[in-house]
Amino acid sequence: SAGAGSPSHEKALDEALHARRKHLAPSFSTHYSCPLLITKARGCFLFDSRGQPFLDVVNNPAGVGHCHPMVVKAAADQMGKLNTNTRYLYPELSEYASALCATLPEGLDVCYFVNSGSEANDLALRIARWHTQQEDIVCLEGGYHGHTDALIAISPYKLAKAKRREVPITTHTVEAPDAYRSPRADGDYAAPVATAVEGIVGKGRKPAAFFCEGALSCAGYLPLPPGYLEGA
């Protein structure tokens, strides 16, 4: 139960739901038939208003755990010093870009800093289409790449639920590699990608890009088979 002198958990939950329904669009869905009223987090756990911990396997932005002391301190220190955009020169920006590029394969040494995954993928899509002068995209079933109009068009997870919207002729969905539920005897999980590319070429075009998550989240948290991306 809630602590002494505080509203009951049920009352607090009802109030939070009422405020949410009043001010947030209904497209912002909640998990579970009885939503969780989360008040704090630490490490890999979320805590509700009763202090009940829940193992968090959903919040992908928290890559090093919630409220990591080093991350909190670094963010607070920087916010207290400077928070501006990339049109100005300041050492932290180039230092971070240099440190980030040092973790990437040779040749990946230019950064675009954006505000969300949707913005990053939308920009990647634009660059790919500009560079190749092509439009066709190969993507995986169950894939979700963002909520911009262009990304929904290559996100089968969203397209399957979209009303009054057809799959563009430039979107080519292929089987997701699932080594557990659908093992391939030949081990060539990238074969469907090759088939899709052959189909595009057969129509006198070329693919602009292949879109694939590092781990297939909406498709069921599927890890990619070894060598899949290289084969694709």
Side-chain angles (χ1 to χ4, degrees), residues 24-46:
L24 271 68
S27 55
F28 286 96
S29 60
T30 56
H31 289 297
Y32 317 117
S33 57
C34 182
L36 302 180
L37 179 57
I38 300 300
T39 58
K40 63 179 181 179
R42 174 70 72 171
C44 60
F45 291 98
L46 299 171

Side-chain angles (χ1 to χ4, degrees), residues 19 25-26 40 85 103 132 200 221:
K40 63 179 181 179
N85 62 51
T103 69
T132 62
I200 296 170
Y221 290 95

Side-chain angles (χ1 to χ4, degrees), residues 64-145:
V64 294
H66 291 282
C67 305
H68 192 293
M70 291 180 63
V71 175
V72 172
K73 183 179 186 306
D77 289 348
Q78 185 60 44
M79 290 288 287
K81 176 183 177 183
L82 176 68
N83 178 27
T84 187
N85 62 51
T86 56
R87 291 181 177 87
Y88 300 101
L89 295 177
Y90 49 100
E92 290 84 356
L93 181 63
S94 52
E95 289 171 2
Y96 177 71
S98 178
L100 180 62
C101 289
T103 69
L104 303 175
E106 184 177 355
L108 294 179
D109 51 14
V110 175
C111 296
Y112 287 93
F113 292 118
V114 293
N115 294 314
S116 68
S118 291
E119 188 177 353
N121 285 339
D122 193 81
L123 180 59
L125 179 62
R126 289 168 55 200
I127 291 173
R129 283 177 165 163
W130 180 86
H131 177 72
T132 62
Q133 294 298 294
Q134 302 292 330
E135 294 291 323
D136 292 79
I137 303 296
V138 179
C139 53
L140 300 180
E141 60 182 1
Y144 173 56
H145 305 295

Side-chain angles (χ1 to χ4, degrees), residues 116-119 122 144-152 155 158:
S116 68
S118 291
E119 188 177 353
D122 193 81
Y144 173 56
H145 305 295
H147 59 75
T148 69
D149 189 69
L151 294 176
I152 290 176
S155 296
K158 283 291 185 181

